[in-house]
Amino acid sequence: MRSLAVAVVVAVAAVGCAGGDARTAPPPTTGAGARQGGLQALARPHRLRMGTAVRANALAADARYGPTIAAQYGMVTPENDLKFAPTEPERGRFDFTAADAVVRFAERNHVAVRGHTLVWHRQLPAWLTEGRFDRAELLAVMRAHIAAVVGRYRGRIAQWDVVNEAMGDDGALRDNLWLRGIGPDYIAEAFRAARAADPEARLFLNEYGIESPGPKADATVALVARLRADGVPVDGVGFQAHTVPGSPTGAALARQLRRVARLGLETAVTEADVRLELPPTPAALADQARSYRDLLTACLEEWSCHTFVTWGFSDAWSWISKTFPGSGAALPFDDHYRPKPAQRAMAAALRAPP
Ligand code: XIL
């Protein structure tokens, strides 16, 4: 189904549209260094990029970290290094030291980059959260930030999470600094600024908790439909997919991906992890493996889903234990970079013919 749809779209694009649509372009030269049998090498026939979150400090600290990524993955998302606080620590003063290290690592290894994230309510610098800005000034701050960060990596970052977690669980826009200071059109303005700064990058609205049906998923679909109707340059919706075994089911995720795809948008799984109670039992690791397989399969079977990123790859470097005390072991490789059942389950899913 997926390969047929892709083939048809490619044929149409080849005939009708000289500029081309990034969704129909061949995958980037990912995984030139990807080891045979690595996840990216297996994903290539599916026209899918397999990615992981990456930390500049881990690249510097652990000699096994970078080589494992280069062997397994075709895409990286800086986990923190492109966020507002680290990149613009003082108003108008930008610091790209850590982000540059990640982007250089990616380029050396022929791995694509997802930019994360421009407009969010967390990891903001104090000058912004404690400052007093009227609407015009806050809009100028947001636009200048986007212009500087996206502009710096123009042509080098394939996808941007332009707006992150804009929706509340109840389906109303999240009450955050941007909504309060600018109003609901901060979202459209952010996408317009990102498009202006890099016309080639694919621009995503990224969200958590929309992998299952409910008011938040409904409101997110309605929001992107409205943005599209208004001509706002949004290209896709990222499904974070921070999960526990069995929830959401693969079928639930598949249905939500489909709803977004029907609007003509790209879909992506952007931050997948499957957290377990610590210490994990063999049965829990097997459940986790099934979850990873099911999430990946939902993406594989949805023609609009070309990106599957996990929020890290080794349990040695995961945000989970800090954020969810008592939970952890959420990633496909263990603390010692050994593949877990989850990694083998994803490899098996990718070995199925496209
Ligand atoms: C998390 C990082 O993983 C942590 O290291 C950091 O302390 C907080 O942010 N949704 C997102 C990500 O969009 O940016 C978050 O990343 C995890 C939840």
Side-chain angles (χ1 to χ4, degrees):
M1 191 58 209
R2 173 195 176 80
S3 54
L4 181 63
V6 167
V8 170
V9 171
V10 168
V12 169
V15 173
C17 155
D21 174 335
R23 281 185 297 149
T24 61
T29 29
T30 50
R35 191 173 53 211
Q36 221 186 338
L39 293 172
Q40 182 57 49
L42 296 171
R44 206 178 160 73
H46 301 276
R47 308 176 62 83
L48 176 71
R49 293 170 205 135
M50 291 294 289
T52 173
V54 61
R55 299 182 182 181
N57 63 339
L59 282 173
D62 190 331
R64 296 166 300 175
Y65 185 87
T68 307
I69 295 176
Q72 291 287 340
Y73 295 98
M75 180 169 249
V76 290
T77 307
E79 185 170 344
N80 291 300
D81 300 317
L82 276 171
K83 289 173 179 173
F84 209 122
T87 54
E88 194 176 352
E90 290 166 42
R91 185 170 181 187
R93 184 177 72 75
F94 292 87
D95 182 349
F96 294 112
T97 316
D100 280 354
V102 169
V103 173
R104 273 200 305 271
F105 163 81
E107 288 175 344
R108 270 201 310 277
N109 290 287
H110 308 284
V111 160
V113 181
R114 291 196 90 247
H116 177 84
T117 181
L118 299 165
V119 180
W120 190 29
H121 61 285
R122 296 185 55 205
Q123 291 176 273
L124 297 171
W127 65 264
L128 187 52
T129 54
E130 288 163 18
R132 299 178 71 84
F133 304 97
D134 64 20
R135 181 178 189 278
E137 209 178 357
L138 189 59
L139 195 51
V141 162
M142 188 186 80
R143 286 181 177 144
H145 180 79
I146 293 172
V149 178
V150 177
R152 180 177 183 86
Y153 299 106
R154 185 180 171 126
R156 300 164 71 195
I157 291 193
Q159 304 178 1
W160 272 103
D161 289 333
V162 176
V163 175
N164 194 32
E165 302 182 350
M167 198 55 75
D169 293 341
D170 58 356
L173 284 183
R174 178 188 292 277
D175 177 28
N176 66 18
L177 174 139
W178 307 107
L179 183 71
R180 281 195 295 274
I182 298 174
D185 56 334
Y186 84 86
I187 297 173
E189 292 299 334
F191 278 97
R192 291 193 184 104
R195 180 68 100 225
D198 186 349
E200 297 299 318
R202 309 296 289 169
L203 306 181
F204 283 75
L205 182 84
N206 197 48
E207 190 54 87
Y208 72 89
I210 57 165
E211 298 83 12
S212 302
K216 190 176 194 178
D218 292 350
T220 302
V221 171
L223 170 63
V224 289
R226 213 158 49 237
L227 292 170
R228 292 283 279 188
D230 292 348
V232 175
V234 52
D235 299 312
V237 173
F239 291 69
Q240 292 187 7
H242 295 291
T243 70
V244 295
S247 178
T249 62
L253 174 60
R255 275 194 294 275
Q256 300 309 316
L257 294 173
R258 194 85 282 279
R259 293 176 76 188
V260 170
R262 266 195 235 112
L263 300 172
L265 287 155
E266 193 169 337
T267 58
V269 174
T270 53
E271 306 185 15
D273 51 21
V274 184
R275 59 186 180 272
L276 303 176
E277 261 173 51
L278 293 175
T281 61
L285 290 166
D287 287 345
Q288 178 184 58
R290 277 189 287 278
S291 265
Y292 270 106
R293 178 200 63 194
D294 292 349
L295 297 174
L296 176 56
T297 301
C299 173
L300 273 174
E301 291 181 349
E302 169 52 57
W303 69 268
S304 69
C305 189
H306 305 293
T307 304
F308 189 93
V309 178
T310 57
W311 208 232
F313 62 100
S314 160
D315 290 333
W317 302 94
S318 167
W319 73 305
I320 289 293
S321 293
K322 246 198 216 155
T323 311
F324 302 92
S327 296
L331 292 169
F333 292 81
D334 72 11
D335 284 328
H336 305 285
Y337 299 80
R338 289 179 303 226
K340 291 161 64 180
Q343 195 272 349
R344 290 189 284 275
M346 285 195 287
L350 292 170
R351 281 198 179 92

